[in-house]
Structure formats: C-alpha cells, structure tokens
Amino acid sequence: MPAPSPSKHPIFSVLLTLAISAFGGGVAHALGLPAGWLMGGALAVTIAAMLGLPVGMPDRLRDVAFVLIGLSMGASVAPDSLALLASWPISIAALALELVIIVATTGWMLTRLFRLDPGTAYLSSFPGHLSFVLGIAATGVGNARQIVIIQVIRILMLTIAVPIGAVFLPIDHFPPVAAKAFLSPLQLALLALACVATGLVFIRLRVPAGMVLGAMAAATAAKLGGLYTEAMPPPLVVMTFILTGALIGSRFVGITRAEFAAAAKGGLIATGMTLAIVTIMALGVAQLVDMPFGQIWLGLSPGALEGMGALGIALGYDTAFIAAHHVIRLLMLSVAIPAVVVLVRWQEKKAQESRI
C-alpha cells in the first residue's frame, strides 16, 4: 500500500496552517496594526481555507490554544479590576438589551430580505455560543451550513474590525505595561497543569467555553492569590496569537465558494448591523462609566471569548471585565436560544395549520 503524499499527511496540514497564520500575523505586525499577530493570522488562514489549501487544527492543538488563551488572560488581569465591579451593572444591563435588539433585528432582516427560513435566520442571528447553536441546528432546526458561514463571518469580521478601528477611530488603547520579570519554565509548567485541570472540571460541569474559562480561572486565582506576579514571556504570547488566528481561520474549511457566496451577503449585513448596535450601546455606556470605550466595546462585542480576550490582551485592556461580560453573554444565550427555537417551532406549526 503506497504511503500518503506529504501534502496529505495530517502533520503537514497543521504545520501549513501554523506557518500561514505566522506569516499573515508577521506581516500585519510589521505594518503596525494593533493585535497584528492575531488579526493577520486569522485573515491569512481564512483565505487559505477558501482557496482549498489543506489547513486544519486538530482538537488537541485547539485545546492547547484554549489553555494558552485562558492562561494569558488570567496573567494579564488588572490587580484593581475588582474595584470596578460597582460600575459593571450598567454595562451588564446594556448587554442584555443589546442581545434582544441584535437577535430581533438581524433575524427579521435575514427572513425578510434574504428569505431564509426562521430557524436558519434566528439561529444565525445569535451573537455567540456557536457550538450550542450548531448542536440545535443538527437536530433539524435551520440549515446548519448556512448558519456556520454567517456565524464564522461574524467572528472573523469582529477579529479584524476591532484592531482596524483602534487605528482609525478615537478608541483609547493602551500598550501593555512593560514587564520586568517573566514566568520561568517551571512556573509555566505548574500553572499550565492547574489551568488544564480546572478547564477539565469546567468542561465536566458543562460550563460554556469550559477550557478557556477554566484556564483563566486558575491563572487569575493564582495571580490574585499572590502565587505569581510575573508576566507571560513575549514569545509565548505571540504563539498564543498565532494559534488563535489559525483556529479562527480554519473554521472555513469544508465550505465551498458557492455556499460561501450564497450566505456571505446576509452574513456581512447581519454582522454590520450587529457592529452598529454594539457600538451605539458601548458609546452610551461610556458616558456613564469611567472606562475606555474600546474596553467596553470588547466586553459588549458578540465575538468569541477567545478572540475578544486575545484582543483585550493585545490592546492592554482589563481582561477580567471582558471575560466577565462574555461569560454573562453566554449564560444569557443559554436561556435565550432554546426559548427562541421553541417560539420558531410554534410559529412554524401555526403557519402549517393555517394552510390546511
């Protein structure tokens, strides 16, 4: 039996994906774009996937990326972040209102303008909890592939739009404080073990984004508990961004150009509407609380926790604020998604009965 060609070997696919992400990230970083390693890597891998190159991220490497993201977020938590809790209820209330507006308006647009069935339209409109959304779609609610395209376009656009906006818009962003000491290999190994163990517990407890949140919880607890004060080594931070960019871009694998074109227009418009709603809500909150607009925007953004968390690190924001709001968003969606699906099913049944 002939051996598989090198280009078809799984290891080649992984190495190619990481190389493309590193190249794209390096170019974006050289151009001086904020979060360039992350944004450039995600865009480069997305283009490669759409061109049919054999890119991919195995589950084990994906979990490594999740642990590194959580660890990085925990290590960069601002020491005084707990003092800001008193002002968070305002942004949390804005988050709840924002979710209602986003789902209602984008779902209505996709049904009326693009003639998508209600199941596909409203599952595509939910800003996050992709695995939950696709799990429900797999039961026969909506078109799963169209939902994937629209949802991944949302994640990719957010990953690209935030750093570009930081350049051209009056958004405050602060370079991370220059660290004077970095975690040693032994400290990193022990911290990583704690992050993995906590992540597995969170997954067992069915916590949304369990590995990322578990890793962050362990790293944050250790830092606030005084077990370490050192920062993540810069090469490891860059590696984290490269892996995250590869992870985001590789989600386009298996989607044909025809499928992409059919759903992309609706996805772009829905994402544009979502960005406008988030921006308006963030501007309103920024008038009431003393926080950078960019930090509020990332907290209210409908992007993936790992992507927005990585951007928060790159832009020098308080990752505790960002992570807390994304956790709350996921919990809200955990209740809202089944409720909307039940409502859609009820409307479909009612429509069928009226035609009889």
Side-chain angles (χ1 to χ4, degrees):
M1 183 176 179
S5 63
S7 63
K8 294 183 179 180
H9 198 283
I11 295 180
F12 174 83
S13 175
V14 174
L15 293 177
L16 177 64
T17 304
L18 295 178
I20 293 172
S21 182
F23 175 77
V27 170
H29 178 73
L31 293 175
L33 295 175
W37 286 106
L38 174 62
M39 181 191 72
L43 183 59
V45 176
T46 296
I47 293 172
M50 296 303 298
L51 291 175
L53 294 180
V55 298
M57 286 277 284
D59 291 345
R60 294 292 177 84
L61 189 56
R62 179 203 62 188
D63 290 340
V64 169
F66 286 164
V67 170
L68 286 174
I69 293 165
L71 198 160
S72 299
M73 291 175 68
S76 61
V77 166
D80 60 346
S81 60
L82 295 180
L84 300 174
L85 278 174
S87 63
W88 288 9
I90 296 174
S91 54
I92 291 172
L95 177 63
L97 177 60
E98 166 192 289
L99 292 179
V100 173
I101 296 173
I102 289 173
V103 174
T105 56
T106 58
W108 180 87
M109 181 275 297
L110 290 171
T111 55
R112 295 303 179 92
L113 188 60
F114 291 93
R115 304 298 179 186
L116 297 182
D117 64 272
T120 301
Y122 284 96
L123 284 179
S124 298
S125 69
F126 281 109
H129 228 332
L130 182 58
S131 59
F132 193 9
V133 167
L134 293 181
I136 291 179
T139 66
V141 181
N143 184 314
R145 293 184 75 86
Q146 285 184 320
I147 293 169
V148 168
I149 296 170
I150 294 173
Q151 289 280 9
V152 174
I153 285 174
R154 171 182 60 83
I155 295 171
L156 181 65
M157 279 187 64
L158 287 168
T159 306
I160 295 173
V162 176
I164 292 178
V167 174
F168 296 105
L169 298 177
I171 296 177
D172 297 328
H173 64 280
F174 311 97
V177 178
K180 298 180 180 180
F182 301 101
L183 291 165
S184 68
L186 178 59
Q187 286 178 304
L188 282 171
L190 294 175
L191 194 56
L193 286 175
C195 288
V196 171
T198 309
L200 292 175
V201 171
F202 276 37
I203 291 173
R204 187 69 178 269
L205 296 175
R206 300 186 183 279
V207 175
M211 186 57 75
V212 176
L213 294 178
M216 180 183 176
T220 301
K223 184 171 186 179
L224 296 180
L227 298 182
Y228 73 97
T229 57
E230 296 84 358
M232 290 273 288
L236 192 57
V237 175
V238 171
M239 184 187 303
T240 301
F241 290 155
I242 291 173
L243 286 171
T244 307
L247 178 63
I248 293 171
S250 63
R251 287 172 174 163
F252 279 91
V253 171
I255 297 176
T256 66
R257 296 181 190 179
E259 287 178 306
F260 180 82
K265 188 179 293 184
L268 290 171
I269 294 175
T271 305
M273 291 173 60
T274 300
L275 288 171
I277 293 168
V278 171
T279 301
I280 292 171
M281 296 299 293
L283 283 170
V285 173
Q287 308 308 309
L288 303 173
V289 300
D290 185 20
M291 292 183 194
F293 170 73
Q295 177 174 300
I296 297 171
W297 200 100
L298 283 177
L300 298 182
S301 71
L305 171 63
E306 60 269 19
M308 295 304 103
L311 284 171
I313 296 169
L315 297 175
Y317 294 138
D318 178 11
T319 54
F321 174 87
I322 296 170
H325 283 67
H326 281 273
V327 171
I328 294 170
R329 174 174 59 88
L330 291 175
L331 293 176
M332 289 178 178
L333 289 175
S334 296
V335 176
I337 292 172
V340 171
V341 169
V342 170
L343 181 60
V344 167
R345 286 297 203 190
W346 178 77
Q347 289 180 332
E348 290 176 346
K349 183 179 180 181
K350 188 176 180 180
Q352 289 176 353
E353 292 175 350
S354 64
R355 290 194 294 266
I356 296 177

